[in-house]
Amino acid sequence: MHYAYIVQRRNNREKALSNRKQAEPPSKLAQSNVIQVNNIQDFTKKVSGVKVSRRHVDMQRVNEPHPLFGGALSAVLPHSAADVSKLREIPDNQEAFVHARTDQSLIVELVEYQAHVADQDAARYHFEDIAGNNAASQPGAQEVTGVVALHKSSLSLSACSCAWALTGTQCVSKFNETARNRVRLHLGVFRLPQFGTDVLVTFNDPQSICPDSSSSPAAVGAGVEPWTAEDFQQLLQSLTLHNPGLFG
C-alpha cells in the first residue's frame, strides 16, 4: 500500500474555523504527526465496516476551482486529488488531499499570523516549524533549496500583503519508526496580517523510501501521472478568497 505524508500541526498556532462545512463533524487531532492515507484502491475497501464506493472519492477535475473551507476559499487542484476528509477526520484548520495513485499530498492550512517574523523569513519559519513536527530538526534532516517572492500581479489572492514560495527537503519517519524517507516539500505562504492569519499551502512529494519504512514506493507506471511543481504553482496562483468571514 502507498501512503501520503500529511503533517498534523500540533501547536498553539492552530486556528479553529466556524465556517467549516456543516456535513463534517468537529475534528480532533490525531496522536501522530503523520496520517496514513491509503491509495485509491483502498478507498473502495471497507472503512470501519462500511463499504465506500468510488463515487464517494472527490476526484477533482483539472482547471476547475475546488471549494475550500465551505467555499470561503477556492483553488484549482491537480488531477486525481482525493479529499482526505472522505476517509478520516482532519483538523478544522486544514484541507488535505492525496494523489489517487502516488504517495503525494497537498495541504491548505490556516495558522496564526506571526507578527515577529519578517515577511522574507515567513516561508522558512513555517518550513522549520513543520520540520519540528516531523522530528526533522536535527542537522542533515532538512534543507532549504530556494525561497522566492510571488508577485501579487500573478495571484488571485489579492488580499494578501505578500506571498512567498519555498522548496526544500525533509527526512521524515512514520510514527515511531527509525526508518526515514526523503520528502521534497514545496511550501507557499500568503500573509494576511489584517486577518491575523497566514495561509499555508504545502505539497509533499516523497523522493526516496527507506526499505525499512512501513511505506512502500509509489507505483508510478503506465497511465500514472504524478503531480508536478507546475501543478503546485497553478494551485498557488488560483487560490481565491470569497468570504473573509472565514477568519472570524
Side-chain angles (χ1 to χ4, degrees):
M1 292 186 293
H2 310 302
Y3 300 104
Y5 291 89
I6 300 180
V7 177
Q8 292 279 23
R9 307 295 288 279
R10 302 193 56 178
N11 53 36
N12 58 10
R13 300 190 305 111
E14 292 163 358
K15 296 175 67 70
L17 303 178
S18 60
N19 292 348
R20 193 70 172 173
K21 295 180 286 293
Q22 292 184 355
E24 297 179 8
S27 301
K28 296 181 180 179
L29 294 180
Q31 296 300 313
S32 171
N33 286 340
V34 179
I35 297 176
Q36 286 191 335
V37 179
N38 295 346
N39 61 11
I40 190 65
Q41 289 81 5
D42 295 301
F43 273 101
T44 60
K45 294 182 179 179
K46 290 183 179 180
V47 179
S48 300
V50 178
K51 188 174 180 61
V52 179
S53 68
R54 189 182 184 93
R55 69 176 178 271
H56 290 114
V57 180
D58 184 17
M59 307 303 293
Q60 181 63 26
R61 293 182 179 179
V62 178
N63 297 325
E64 180 180 331
H66 182 90
L68 303 168
F69 301 107
L73 291 168
S74 69
V76 174
L77 301 182
H79 65 88
S80 305
D83 190 339
V84 175
S85 69
K86 302 295 184 181
L87 179 66
R88 63 178 69 232
E89 293 181 343
I90 61 172
D92 284 340
N93 67 316
Q94 291 183 357
E95 294 275 14
F97 304 89
V98 294
H99 191 293
R101 299 285 300 278
T102 74
D103 213 20
Q104 298 170 314
S105 64
L106 287 164
I107 305 171
V108 181
E109 181 177 15
L110 307 182
V111 296
E112 184 178 344
Y113 177 77
Q114 301 295 303
H116 67 282
V117 178
D119 289 339
Q120 65 270 22
D121 299 326
R124 188 181 294 268
Y125 173 87
H126 290 297
F127 177 85
E128 292 177 351
D129 185 62
I130 292 172
N133 283 276
N134 280 339
S137 298
Q138 61 270 37
Q142 60 166 299
E143 179 185 11
V144 173
T145 55
V147 181
V148 297
L150 301 178
H151 296 292
K152 289 186 64 176
S153 61
S154 66
L155 303 175
S156 298
L157 188 56
S158 58
C160 68
S161 61
C162 63
W164 299 80
L166 176 149
T167 302
T169 57
Q170 295 184 7
C171 295
V172 180
S173 61
K174 286 194 171 183
F175 304 106
N176 296 318
E177 296 177 355
T178 58
R180 289 188 171 271
N181 305 318
R182 184 172 177 269
V183 178
R184 178 177 293 138
L185 192 149
H186 300 272
L187 182 149
V189 55
F190 299 83
R191 310 214 78 190
L192 292 89
Q194 70 273 36
F195 300 124
T197 301
D198 280 345
V199 179
L200 302 185
V201 185
T202 53
F203 168 28
N204 301 292
D205 185 15
Q207 299 298 295
S208 61
I209 303 296
C210 177
D212 296 329
S213 173
S214 60
S215 285
S216 58
V220 179
V224 178
E225 185 179 353
W227 294 336
T228 66
E230 288 73 21
D231 292 324
F232 181 67
Q233 181 180 14
Q234 182 182 41
L235 193 162
L236 295 182
Q237 292 176 338
S238 66
L239 186 66
T240 303
L241 175 64
H242 302 286
N243 181 10
L246 171 69
F247 307 114

